[in-house]
Amino acid sequence: MNSNFTLLDIRYYYYNNILYFTEKQSFNNVNDKSHNYNNHINKDSNEIYNFDPNNKNKWKEILGRKGIKKHAFKLANEHIKSRKPTNSLIINKILSYSGIKITEDQLNELKSYPRYLFDCSDMLYLKNEIKNIIGLVGSKKQIPGVYIFTHKKSGSKYVGSSSQLAIRLNGYLLNKHKSIGLFIPLLQKEELYNFLLYIIPLNKSNIYKPEIILEQYYLLDPTFNLNIIKIANNPSGSNSKSIYMYNRDKSVLYYGSTEQINIIKNLNIHHYTFSKHLKNNTYYLGKYSFSRELNLNAKVLDISLIDLRLKLENDRKIFNKNKPLNSLSRSVFIENIENKKDVKLFFSLNKCVIFFKDKGHRANQRQLIESINSNTPYFGYYCKYI
C-alpha cells in the first residue's frame, strides 16, 4: 500500500472529488439542452475547487460557513441584518452547497436583464402577455427566469425563480399552490388583482442556473419580506423536502439539506430509514434524530462531510455488533496511483466493482478482495477497507 495514502489525504481530496462528482451528475440530469452543462463543468471545475486542501478556513467557505459554526442560513440572515450591499462573494458563500459560483461582472449582467411589469387586475391581458414573453405551459422548451409579486397596498414583496417559468406562473394564476408560508395565504386572501408582477426571463444567459443566482440576490434584500426561507434552491417533488440530522435533543446539528435525496447520497441513509425515525420520533443508530425543521439555535458541528461519513460508518459498526453486516457491505476507499486527488469512498464492495466496470474494466468482487488483502494495485488504484 502506498505510504502516502493517509487519512488526511482522504478527508480533503475525497470530499473535493465527491462534491464535483455529485454536481456533475446533477448537471447531466438537466433536460434543457440550451446550455452545454458538461462543457461548463470541464471549464469551471478547476476554478471552483482549486484550493489548498490543508486550508481549513477555505473549507468552511466551501461548506457555506464563515468561520466556526456558521452555515448558509445564518450567513444569509446575518447579511440581511447588516444592510450591506450584496455582491458575488456573499452569493458564492451562500450557494456553495450547490457548486454555483459567479463573478461580479456576471452578477451585474443578470441584474441588468430587462424586466416586464404587469398589473394582475387584467387577467386576460396578463395571460396573453406571459404567453408572448415566456411561451406556453405546454411548450417543449421552457424558459428560466425570476418573478416578483408586489402587494399594491402594503408594498410587501415576494421573489421566486424557476427553470420552467411558464409552468410555475401558471400555478399562481390558477391558484394551484399550497397555502403555506406568508405569500400564498396573502395571495389567496387578497386575490391576484391586488398584486403587481415582474417577470425577468433569463433564457439568453450562458451562466449556469442564472435564475437561482438572481433569486438569491433578491432574497438578500430585506424589502422581500414575504419570503421566509432566504436560501435559493430549485428542488422538485419529494426531493424538495428539507431534512436535518441532529443529536437526540436537537442541540447539535450534524447535517442539513433542502433536498432530502442528499442525505441518501451523501450519508448512505436509506429513505425508509429516516422516514421511519421521522414518523416515530425515534433515534437513528440510537443517537441521531431527524427533523424537517431547521433549529437556528442548534450548535452546528464543525466537521467536513467525509469526517461525518466516517463517523457514521463507525457508529454503524458499533450499533450493529449484535447483527453483523454482510462482509460484502464493507466500505472501501480507493486512491488513484497517478493522481492522489482522485480518491473515492464506496459503501460496499459491489458499488466499488460497479465503478471499475463503468470504467471498462473486467472487475469482480473476488479480485477486488484479493487486491485489498494483498495491498496490491487494482486497475490503477490502491484499495483498502474502512
Side-chain angles (χ1 to χ4, degrees):
M1 179 65 75
N2 185 347
S3 61
N4 293 324
F5 185 37
T6 66
L7 183 58
L8 185 62
D9 293 329
I10 293 170
R11 288 174 183 172
Y12 290 111
Y13 293 134
Y14 171 69
Y15 186 79
N16 185 355
N17 210 15
I18 195 66
L19 187 61
Y20 167 66
F21 179 71
T22 300
E23 293 304 322
K24 184 174 183 180
Q25 281 187 320
S26 65
F27 293 168
N28 289 337
N29 288 333
V30 176
N31 293 322
D32 186 357
K33 304 298 183 183
S34 61
H35 302 294
N36 191 334
Y37 293 134
N38 291 328
N39 288 342
H40 172 91
I41 297 166
N42 295 331
K43 177 181 177 182
D44 293 344
S45 60
N46 290 333
E47 178 185 350
I48 294 174
Y49 302 113
N50 184 19
F51 57 86
D52 180 5
N54 295 311
N55 184 346
K56 293 184 178 180
N57 288 328
K58 187 66 175 179
W59 271 107
K60 290 164 187 171
E61 293 181 11
I62 295 298
L63 293 172
R65 300 167 182 154
K66 182 182 179 183
I68 299 175
K69 303 173 185 174
K70 304 286 183 182
H71 54 68
F73 293 93
K74 286 189 176 180
L75 273 178
N77 289 329
E78 289 173 1
H79 178 77
I80 292 170
K81 291 178 182 178
S82 74
R83 300 278 177 166
K84 293 180 180 178
T86 298
N87 54 29
S88 59
L89 180 62
I90 186 65
I91 289 178
N92 288 339
K93 288 180 179 180
I94 292 172
L95 294 182
S96 60
Y97 72 91
S98 63
I100 291 175
K101 188 171 184 178
I102 190 171
T103 65
E104 195 66 26
D105 287 341
Q106 289 173 324
L107 177 59
N108 289 332
E109 174 192 329
L110 293 179
K111 289 159 56 179
S112 68
Y113 269 79
R115 56 171 65 188
Y116 299 87
L117 174 62
F118 302 100
D119 189 325
C120 299
S121 58
D122 189 338
M123 184 63 71
L124 181 61
Y125 173 77
L126 178 61
K127 288 181 178 180
N128 287 333
E129 287 303 303
I130 289 178
K131 179 186 67 174
N132 293 334
I133 296 172
I134 58 177
L136 296 170
V137 173
S139 299
K140 186 175 181 180
K141 183 177 179 181
Q142 290 289 320
I143 290 177
V146 169
Y147 57 93
I148 297 171
F149 283 97
T150 303
H151 187 228
K152 295 178 182 177
K153 185 176 180 180
S154 67
S156 296
K157 293 192 290 186
Y158 177 86
V159 61
S161 72
S162 177
S163 60
Q164 301 175 315
L165 201 51
I167 295 175
R168 177 66 61 82
L169 289 176
N170 188 62
Y172 290 111
L173 299 184
L174 299 180
N175 194 22
K176 289 185 176 182
H177 296 298
K178 293 181 180 179
S179 182
I180 57 176
L182 297 177
F183 171 59
I184 300 298
L186 179 64
L187 179 64
Q188 293 174 345
K189 177 184 177 182
E190 297 286 323
E191 299 188 17
L192 196 61
Y193 64 83
N194 281 310
F195 287 83
L196 300 174
L197 171 63
Y198 281 101
I199 299 177
I200 310 174
L202 297 173
N203 52 308
K204 295 183 180 180
S205 172
N206 293 319
I207 300 169
Y208 175 70
K209 290 291 184 183
E211 71 277 11
I212 298 295
I213 296 168
L214 190 58
E215 179 191 7
Q216 186 60 66
Y217 172 80
Y218 286 119
L219 284 171
L220 297 177
D221 182 337
T223 64
F224 286 83
N225 54 343
L226 294 178
N227 291 87
I228 296 176
I229 298 176
K230 299 297 183 178
I231 304 298
N233 59 76
N234 192 30
S236 61
S238 62
N239 292 338
S240 65
K241 298 178 180 178
S242 298
I243 184 73
Y244 302 96
M245 188 175 80
Y246 299 91
N247 63 341
R248 288 174 68 111
D249 65 4
K250 294 184 174 58
S251 61
V252 177
L253 177 63
Y254 289 95
Y255 180 86
S257 175
T258 56
E259 300 182 53
Q260 68 180 22
I261 195 173
N262 288 333
I263 202 169
I264 301 172
K265 294 191 299 184
N266 293 337
L267 301 184
N268 196 36
I269 300 175
H270 195 276
H271 180 273
Y272 171 79
T273 301
F274 68 75
S275 296
K276 176 187 68 176
H277 290 296
L278 270 172
K279 180 180 178 181
N280 299 328
N281 197 28
T282 52
Y283 304 111
Y284 176 59
L285 303 179
K287 60 189 302 185
Y288 301 102
S289 62
F290 298 106
S291 175
R292 296 289 187 194
E293 303 298 327
L294 173 65
N295 177 14
L296 291 175
N297 295 319
K299 174 184 177 182
V300 181
L301 191 68
D302 189 27
I303 187 172
S304 69
L305 180 58
I306 186 61
D307 282 336
L308 180 57
R309 292 165 67 119
L310 291 170
K311 175 178 172 58
L312 288 176
E313 282 296 283
N314 290 328
D315 289 338
R316 288 175 185 127
K317 291 177 182 178
I318 296 172
F319 186 78
N320 290 303
K321 61 184 178 181
N322 295 323
K323 46 178 182 177
L325 299 174
N326 186 294
S327 61
L328 298 182
S329 68
R330 297 186 66 179
S331 298
V332 180
F333 267 121
I334 67 172
E335 178 197 43
N336 191 312
I337 296 174
E338 297 180 353
N339 179 10
K340 306 234 183 301
K341 292 185 178 181
D342 181 11
V343 182
K344 295 177 175 62
L345 168 67
F346 300 95
F347 289 112
S348 70
L349 286 167
N350 184 55
K351 290 181 179 179
C352 187
V353 169
I354 291 174
F355 166 78
F356 285 115
K357 285 185 175 180
D358 288 343
K359 293 177 72 69
H361 301 302
R362 300 182 65 180
N364 59 58
Q365 291 178 353
R366 179 184 59 79
Q367 293 175 348
L368 177 59
I369 292 172
E370 290 178 356
S371 172
I372 294 173
N373 292 336
S374 61
N375 292 335
T376 56
Y378 191 61
F379 295 119
Y381 285 82
Y382 288 112
C383 309
K384 65 180 291 185
Y385 289 125
I386 295 300

